[in-house]
Structures are given as C-alpha cells and as structure tokens.
C-alpha cells in the first residue's frame, strides 16, 4: 500500500505534500514518491499515532458530517430559487417576499456551516464551532488530552530517531551485533508502549469530541427540519391558492353559462315552466354562494400566511420552536367538497 492509497482508503487525511513530507521526516519514514513507495504497517502506525495526523483525521470526520447539512441546504435552496423565479410574474407578492427571506436565512445558515468546517480544531476552545459550548470539565479534559498527546508524540519521534540510528549502525562481530539488537528491541518495546498510550489518549479525547459533535448534529438537524417545514408549508400554500383560484374560475364559468341560459329563457318565444326557471335560479344562487365561500376561504388563507411572512415572526418561530399550524389546518379542506359540488 502506498501513502496515496492509504489516503484514498480514508486511513490517512488529505494534506499538502509538503506538510506530509515534514511529518514523514519527523517520524523517520523514508517515502519520496507517494504513488510508488511502500507504506508499511509500522509506518502507518507511526502516522496515525502522530498528533498532527490525528487532528487532521478528526477534522476530516467532522467536515464529512457537516457536508451532509450543506448538501441538504443546497437541495432546498435550489427549490426555493426555482419557486422565487416562478413567482416573479405572479400576483402573490407576499409569497415571493417570504420565499426570498427564507432563501436569505438558509444561505446564511449554510455559510455558517461552511465556516464551522473551516474553524474546527481539536486545539480550539469549544472546538471552534458555532452553537456549541463545552462544559468546563470537558474543555479542560480536551486541553489535557491534547497536551498529553503532543508530549507523547514528541517522545515517539525521539524513539523513532533512536531506532533509525541503531538500525543504521554496522557491526562486524556477532557480539556487537547482538548487543545492538538488544538495544533495538528495547526501543521497539518503548515505541509500542508509547503508541498504545497514544491510542488510549486519542480514544478519551474522541469521546469528548463525539459528545460535542452529536450535540451539534442534533441542533443542525432540528434547525434544518424547521426550514424544511417552512418550505413545505410554502408549497402547500401555493398549491391551495392555485386550487382555490381554479375552483373559483370553474364556478364563474358555470355561473356565466347559467346566466346565459336565464337570458336565453327570458328572450325565447318558447314558454319555460316555472319549475325550470326555479331550477336555473337555484343553480345560480348555489354557484354564487360557492364562489363567495371560496373567495372568503382564499382571503383567510392569505391573511393566515401574511401573519408569518414577517421576518421577525419567522425568526421567532425558528428560535422558539414554534410550529405554524394554522395554515396547515386551513389547507386540509378541499374547496370542491366543502361546497358540495
């Protein structure tokens, strides 16, 4: 396995070649060509035990988790952008304003997530991410683990150099060779012991980081669900507006036909029974009442929506966890069924 293969297999983080070379040099690992030179298991162990590599791997894991939110936001932002463009020539000015404000809010949150990825570091207070505050105990513990790992990394580097020096010595007598091998074995044991210690320190630190990032993920998931609900509610509002508009248009067309029949009846030489006239007038009244009710429902839907188009109302709803339910209750009514048609 080469170094680049280890990176592709996610065993090592993606870092600049120059930075890797400086780490390899400090760990006494002789690799010049990242695509060809063999990376032994021992060399890989040295790398993952190094504090710098561990910090980069931890950052990569957080970045991958954070990218899921960014991708979710990108998907919804595309929907909002398309919706806003559809509303450019629409009479629904309030709906377009709401969509544009929602898009602005989500753009800001997406930028915040991207900044979190840039700022994340196990060496920073609260890990350098927004909306997270470690307890004093966890913060002190994280700093303690970092300091211990840095010191342990330094000790390991010193042992690697000793090992390299001993392995490069050439002795001609069996006695000196055996003596040197005993020294090599002792250094290898110290390295193994320090690597084991480093693994324990990394595990303890990772538990603190996992606790913090789990909290972060929960906050972001809850935040995204609220934005998703706002978007879904917007779509429902527009669907219901279109449904109501279409229903009103259909009733108006039927009303126009009924009025035409009444006019034709009054102008016709043929006599129409009183019952037929009564049926036509009744049909006209039913259609007019249906149109009136639909228009009232349409206004009610608009007035409910307008209460939540204000930016401050939206932010308070998101901040306090308020669910805008009144609109949803209105939308579950079917205008055709509601008017018995």
């Amino acid at each position: 396995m080469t170094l680049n293969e280890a990176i592709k297999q996610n065993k090592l983080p993606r870092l600049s070649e120059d930075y890797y070379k400086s780490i390899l040099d400090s760990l006494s690992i002789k690799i010049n060509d990242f695509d060809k030179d063999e990376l032994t298991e021992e060399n890989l162990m040295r790398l993952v035990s190094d504090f710098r590599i561990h910090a980069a791997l931890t950052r990569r894991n957080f970045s991958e988790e954070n990218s899921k939110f960014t991708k979710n936001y990108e998907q919804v932002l595309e929907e909002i952008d398309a919706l806003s463009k559809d509303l450019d020539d629409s009479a629904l000015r309030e709906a377009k304003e709401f969509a544009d404000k929602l898009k602005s809010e989500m753009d800001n949150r997406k930028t915040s997530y991207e900044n979190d990825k840039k700022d994340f570091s196990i060496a920073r207070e609260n890990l350098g991410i927004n909306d997270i505050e470690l307890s004093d105990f966890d913060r002190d513990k994280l700093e303690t683990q970092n300091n211990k790992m840095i010191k342990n990394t330094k000790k390991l580097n010193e042992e690697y150099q000793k090992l390299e020096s001993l392995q490069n010595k050439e002795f001609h007598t069996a006695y000196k060779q055996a003596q040197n091998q005993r020294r090599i074995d002792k250094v290898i044991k110290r390295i193994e012991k320090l690597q084991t210690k480093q693994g324990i320190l990394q595990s303890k630190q990772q538990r603190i980081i996992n606790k913090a990032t789990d909290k972060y993920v929960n906050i972001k998931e809850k935040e995204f669900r609220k934005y998703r609900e706002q978007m879904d509610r917007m779509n429902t509002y527009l669907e219901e507006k279109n449904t109501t508009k279409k229903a009103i248009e259909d009733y108006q067309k039927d009303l126009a036909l009924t009025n035409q029949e009444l006019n034709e009846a009054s102008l016709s030489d043929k006599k129409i029974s009183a019952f037929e006239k009564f049926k036509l007038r009744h049909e006209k009244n039913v259609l007019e009442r249906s149109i009136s009710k639909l228009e009232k429902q349409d206004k009610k839907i608009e007035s409910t929506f307008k209460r939540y188009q204000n930016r401050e109302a939206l932010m308070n709803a998101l901040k306090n966890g308020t669910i805008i339910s009144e609109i949803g209750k209105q939308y579950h009514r079917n205008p055709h069924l509601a008017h018995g048609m």
Side-chain angles (χ1 to χ4, degrees):
M1 178 174 61
T2 65
L3 193 142
N4 276 340
E5 285 174 343
I7 293 173
K8 289 178 182 178
Q9 295 173 21
N10 290 328
K11 293 180 179 180
L12 292 174
R14 294 186 180 279
L15 301 171
S16 70
E17 186 171 328
D18 288 340
Y19 190 38
Y20 254 122
K21 285 181 177 179
S22 68
I23 295 175
L24 291 169
D25 184 60
S26 68
L27 299 177
S28 300
I29 299 175
K30 305 301 181 184
I31 290 181
N32 296 316
D33 192 325
F34 290 8
D35 287 314
K36 295 180 180 179
D37 293 347
E38 182 70 13
L39 180 70
T40 66
E41 287 298 323
E42 166 58 22
N43 290 342
L44 181 60
M45 177 60 74
R46 290 189 187 188
L47 284 165
V48 297
S49 297
D50 186 84
F51 179 79
R52 293 160 293 182
I53 296 295
H54 168 71
L57 283 171
T58 306
R59 177 172 178 159
R60 183 199 66 189
N61 293 339
F62 174 78
S63 179
E64 289 177 351
E65 190 67 41
N66 197 298
S67 295
K68 296 176 184 177
F69 300 117
T70 305
K71 194 170 292 184
N72 287 338
Y73 271 69
E74 287 172 353
Q75 179 183 345
V76 177
L77 283 169
E78 287 178 5
E79 293 180 35
I80 296 177
D81 192 51
L83 178 62
S84 179
K85 290 177 181 177
D86 288 342
L87 293 170
D88 279 341
D89 300 325
S90 171
L92 300 172
R93 181 176 56 83
E94 295 85 0
K96 177 168 174 53
E97 289 177 356
F98 186 88
D100 290 344
K101 287 178 180 179
L102 188 61
K103 183 177 184 296
S104 177
E105 290 295 332
M106 295 191 72
D107 265 328
N108 290 337
R109 296 312 298 160
K110 179 173 170 285
T111 300
S112 174
Y113 301 156
E114 290 169 345
N115 289 335
D116 286 342
K117 284 194 287 186
K118 294 175 184 176
D119 295 339
F120 181 87
S121 170
I122 61 177
R124 283 192 175 188
E125 187 177 271
N126 294 330
L127 301 173
I129 55 180
N130 295 327
D131 301 325
I132 288 293
E133 185 171 347
L134 297 178
S135 67
D136 292 339
F137 175 80
D138 284 342
R139 191 184 301 115
D140 292 343
K141 193 71 174 174
L142 185 66
E143 184 178 359
T144 299
Q145 298 302 319
N146 285 342
N147 291 335
K148 286 182 178 179
M149 281 189 287
I150 291 171
K151 290 178 181 178
N152 208 55
T153 293
K154 185 178 179 181
K155 290 179 181 179
L156 277 167
N157 291 347
E158 291 172 354
E159 295 298 330
Y160 296 145
Q161 290 172 9
K162 289 179 184 178
L163 181 61
E164 183 182 25
S165 176
L166 289 170
Q167 288 174 335
N168 288 335
K169 287 184 177 181
E170 293 185 6
F171 296 102
H172 301 287
T173 65
Y175 171 76
K176 292 295 290 184
Q177 289 174 355
Q179 186 183 53
N180 190 60
Q181 186 59 48
R182 285 194 294 271
R183 289 172 181 169
I184 290 175
D185 292 341
K186 286 181 180 179
V187 173
I188 290 175
K189 285 183 179 180
R190 287 199 296 271
I191 289 173
E192 290 175 349
K193 186 176 180 181
L194 288 169
Q195 287 178 341
T196 299
K197 180 180 179 182
Q198 192 80 330
I200 294 171
L201 291 172
Q202 289 174 348
S203 295
K204 288 181 178 179
Q205 185 208 57
Q206 196 62 51
R207 284 197 290 271
I208 299 171
I209 295 172
N210 289 345
K211 178 181 175 182
T213 51
D214 284 347
K215 180 180 178 183
Y216 176 84
V217 168
N218 288 335
I219 290 173
K220 300 312 173 188
E221 285 181 342
K222 184 177 180 182
E223 197 172 68
F224 176 76
R225 283 198 298 271
K226 289 175 181 176
Y227 281 121
R228 180 74 260 184
E229 286 170 3
Q230 293 289 337
M231 184 62 189
D232 291 343
R233 195 166 287 116
M234 164 73 77
N235 285 328
T236 304
Y237 166 75
L238 293 174
E239 288 173 7
E240 201 62 30
K241 282 285 293 182
N242 289 333
T243 299
T244 306
K245 179 182 177 182
K246 179 66 168 56
I248 291 173
E249 290 174 351
D250 289 343
Y251 284 128
Q252 287 174 337
K253 289 176 183 178
D254 285 349
L255 179 60
L257 290 174
T258 300
N259 285 330
Q260 183 180 344
E261 289 181 48
L262 283 170
N263 289 334
E264 289 174 353
S266 62
L267 296 174
S268 176
D269 294 335
K270 296 180 180 180
K271 289 186 177 181
I272 298 178
S273 67
F275 179 70
E276 289 295 327
K277 290 182 179 180
F278 171 78
K279 282 174 61 179
L280 285 171
R281 284 194 294 269
H282 174 71
E283 184 179 316
K284 177 182 177 180
N285 290 335
V286 169
L287 290 169
E288 286 177 342
R289 285 198 302 271
S290 296
I291 291 172
S292 177
K293 287 180 180 179
L294 280 168
E295 288 174 343
K296 287 180 181 179
Q297 180 175 323
D298 190 54
K299 288 179 180 179
K300 194 169 184 179
I301 290 171
E302 284 187 358
S303 64
T304 307
F305 175 75
K306 285 178 183 179
R307 291 208 304 270
Y308 296 98
Q309 66 156 348
N310 181 273
R311 180 184 179 86
E312 183 178 356
L314 172 60
M315 291 305 296
N316 287 336
L318 294 173
K319 181 179 179 181
N320 302 325
T322 305
I323 302 299
I324 305 173
S325 59
E326 291 183 49
I327 297 177
K329 292 178 182 178
Q330 292 292 328
Y331 294 164
H332 287 303
R333 298 180 59 193
N334 186 310
H336 296 287
L337 294 177
H339 301 292
M341 299 302 292

